[in-house]
Amino acid sequence: MLKKLIIIVFMLVSTQVLAQYKTDVIVLGASAAGTATAIQAARSGVKVILLEPNNFSLGAIAPSMDVPAFNFGIWKEWKDLYTRKLDSLQTDPRIALESIISKVNNLRYFKETQIVKVIKKGKSWEISIQKNGSKIEKIKAEVLVDAFFEAEASPVLKAGIVKLSDGHIKTISKYTPLELQKPYEQVLKLYRSSGATGFGKDSTMLHYFPMGVFISAEVDNLMFVSPQAGLVGWQADDFKNIATWVNIGQLGGALSAYGPFFDTETAKANVRLSQGEIFNYKGLIYPVTDINTNEYAWNAVQKIIATDVMKHDFAKGKFNPEEHVKPEDIKAILSDLYPRSRIWFIENPIKELTLKDAISLISFITGREIYDMNRELSTNWKMKYELESNFNEKNYVTKKEMTIIFDTYLNPYSIGVNMQGIFIK
């Protein structure tokens, strides 16, 4: 009799264990942003479960892939796969995306799964789910990402965990039209913490997205990669672009993975490391339309924009790479980041920078020998840096050339910033 009781108890305990899942990140909703979040988080080294109440991803109607887009990261991977499949047979972009999901390690995708309850237990999240009408099961995780595009469908909002104010949750930071049109005039330099970019409703509208826009300011380890995030003051159509939401999702994945990976809170994610994760997986963080993406300078330009050392027209996506660099353009920011440079500017009261001046400035800041820099730059100018101009010390230096020089010898991108874009020195 005792033996039978032990067996029964063991079976009950086993059943209970089987009804539990433990993961690092839970993503609610297989929207374009939610799916990209799940893919990137898993690739960033944590365990992820993606939950979708319906039996399809991305909604009941197949999305159009013909949108203005930067072909990078997960979006490029998805579109390339979809295009290849179209070459041989008519297919659905949702099927192409799900084929990517199926090959990602550490990612489990539960379709036709109802989200019954969402609660915060201490530092963890507990989600009660029901698959195909079966018994209720529970999932525990450190980070929760809500990717439901309709506020009324959001399990987090329905549970009252956070509330909407004018259609948005309270986030660490807000992305407003002013942040796009006049970013350098704002008190907070949110553009320095950008982690995603993309087009709006058409090719005339460009966006960048600061990381704090998607992180709850009220509840730890809660993110929204949806219109309910801190996207304030815009029209609904201003973000009507599936490629842009995929890019946002890739950022969401990098951020949601940071906490479990480094055993900290999402809000404390290192901005530069998170941006680096986007770069590592072939994403981008700034909208630049006048630099060829295959150029050597592309990556350096992306990083230099994050430092303020070179200005960028965010609204138009123009870096103006062939403009000549004037001392007044870089004096203030270099004096802030490298106080020693103030002496150089005092001793060199010039109106425009020649290549010789640029090398002298870098040498003065870093202590590098001018002769060695000249030799290295002249060797790499065309072969490595792929610059069209000739290496001539008398030439006025352009923004593209100066960006490469700064990135090579100063690496201002290594100076950290917080979620508000303030330098951490």
Side-chain angles (χ1 to χ4, degrees):
M1 182 67 179
L2 181 60
K3 186 176 180 181
K4 288 183 178 179
L5 285 173
I6 291 173
I7 292 172
I8 292 170
V9 170
F10 177 76
M11 289 176 66
L12 288 172
V13 171
S14 299
T15 302
Q16 182 65 25
V17 170
L18 287 173
Q20 299 275 349
Y21 300 92
K22 194 171 187 313
T23 190
D24 296 310
V25 176
I26 297 174
V27 180
L28 307 179
S31 59
T35 303
T37 296
I39 291 170
Q40 182 59 55
R43 287 175 174 172
S44 291
V46 299
K47 294 179 180 178
V48 183
I49 292 178
L50 172 62
L51 301 177
E52 171 55 50
N54 298 300
N55 65 349
F56 44 73
S57 309
L58 309 175
I61 301 173
S64 170
M65 304 291 281
D66 185 20
V67 295
F70 291 99
N71 289 317
F72 281 86
I74 293 172
W75 168 256
K76 184 179 187 303
E77 179 183 2
W78 177 22
K79 188 168 185 179
D80 285 353
L81 178 60
Y82 172 62
T83 302
R84 288 199 301 273
K85 287 182 177 294
L86 277 180
D87 287 341
S88 57
L89 54 97
Q90 201 67 24
T91 189
D92 187 315
R94 295 171 296 183
I95 297 173
L97 185 58
E98 287 189 8
S99 72
I100 294 174
I101 295 172
S102 67
K103 295 178 176 64
V104 177
N105 293 329
N106 296 323
L107 172 56
R108 303 176 73 177
Y109 180 24
F110 295 161
K111 291 196 292 185
E112 295 184 276
T113 301
Q114 302 307 309
I115 300 160
V116 179
K117 185 185 293 186
V118 178
I119 58 174
K120 187 83 185 288
K121 279 194 170 183
K123 294 183 178 181
S124 300
W125 291 94
E126 184 176 279
I127 314 297
S128 297
I129 61 171
Q130 190 173 35
K131 295 186 292 184
N132 300 317
S134 62
K135 63 188 175 187
I136 292 177
E137 302 172 301
K138 293 181 180 180
I139 309 174
K140 292 184 177 180
E142 293 183 44
V143 177
L144 180 64
V145 181
D146 189 316
F148 279 86
F149 263 50
E150 302 297 331
E152 57 271 20
S154 163
V156 176
L157 294 174
K158 287 195 287 188
I161 294 168
V162 292
K163 297 185 183 300
L164 294 180
S165 175
D166 294 327
H168 303 280
I169 66 162
K170 185 177 180 180
T171 50
I172 291 176
S173 52
K174 296 178 182 178
Y175 174 59
T176 69
L178 279 178
E179 300 296 340
L180 178 64
Q181 299 295 335
K182 298 180 179 180
Y184 297 114
E185 297 179 21
Q186 308 309 308
V187 174
L188 298 178
K189 309 303 181 183
L190 297 181
Y191 54 87
R192 294 175 184 162
S193 68
S194 178
T197 189
F199 288 87
K201 58 186 175 183
D202 56 41
S203 59
T204 66
M205 179 174 282
L206 287 165
H207 294 288
Y208 70 90
F209 298 97
M211 295 185 183
V213 169
F214 306 102
I215 303 173
S216 169
E218 300 178 294
V219 182
D220 292 339
N221 296 331
L222 173 63
M223 295 181 59
F224 280 74
V225 286
S226 70
Q228 290 79 55
L231 308 169
V232 179
W234 300 91
Q235 300 297 315
D237 282 354
D238 291 339
F239 303 105
K240 194 174 182 180
N241 186 299
I242 192 170
T244 295
W245 282 107
V246 170
N247 293 341
I248 289 172
Q250 187 158 8
L251 167 61
L255 283 175
S256 64
Y258 188 94
F261 195 88
F262 290 100
D263 193 23
T264 188
E265 297 167 11
T266 304
K268 295 179 180 178
N270 182 295
V271 170
R272 291 292 187 245
L273 286 180
S274 299
Q275 288 172 331
E277 190 73 350
I278 301 298
F279 287 137
N280 289 341
Y281 285 91
K282 298 180 173 57
L284 75 165
I285 59 178
Y286 293 108
V288 180
T289 61
D290 55 0
I291 296 282
N292 191 308
T293 58
N294 295 320
E295 286 186 59
Y296 176 89
W298 170 261
N299 190 259
V301 167
Q302 288 282 305
K303 292 191 293 182
I304 211 72
I305 293 171
T307 70
D308 262 11
V309 175
M310 293 287 174
K311 300 299 185 186
H312 176 62
D313 187 334
F314 289 91
K316 295 180 180 178
K318 300 295 184 182
F319 184 69
N320 300 312
E322 302 308 321
E323 276 188 1
H324 292 167
V325 179
K326 296 178 173 61
E328 64 189 49
D329 297 334
I330 59 175
K331 180 180 179 179
I333 187 65
L334 288 185
S335 297
D336 182 25
L337 299 180
Y338 307 98
R340 179 176 168 79
S341 68
R342 297 170 190 169
I343 301 172
W344 189 92
F345 286 108
I346 292 172
E347 294 179 347
N348 296 270
I350 54 181
K351 298 297 183 181
E352 282 195 270
L353 283 173
T354 64
L355 186 52
K356 181 179 180 179
D357 297 325
I359 294 170
S360 170
L361 171 60
I362 300 296
S363 174
F364 189 84
I365 295 172
T366 64
R368 290 288 299 267
E369 289 288 342
I370 289 179
Y371 172 81
D372 291 337
M373 290 180 63
N374 269 307
R375 178 175 50 81
E376 291 169 357
L377 286 170
S378 62
T379 300
N380 294 326
W381 199 254
K382 286 184 177 290
M383 294 297 293
K384 181 178 179 180
Y385 303 147
E386 301 171 353
L387 293 166
E388 295 180 0
S389 61
N390 293 318
F391 181 81
N392 187 330
E393 287 185 308
K394 296 180 181 180
N395 288 346
Y396 290 119
V397 69
T398 67
K399 287 181 69 177
K400 184 200 293 188
E401 294 164 351
M402 198 69 189
T403 292
I404 292 173
I405 294 171
F406 276 140
D407 186 55
T408 302
Y409 293 101
L410 276 186
N411 189 21
Y413 183 73
S414 64
I415 299 173
V417 296
N418 63 19
M419 289 283 180
Q420 307 301 338
I422 307 304
F423 286 115
I424 303 170
K425 303 177 186 175

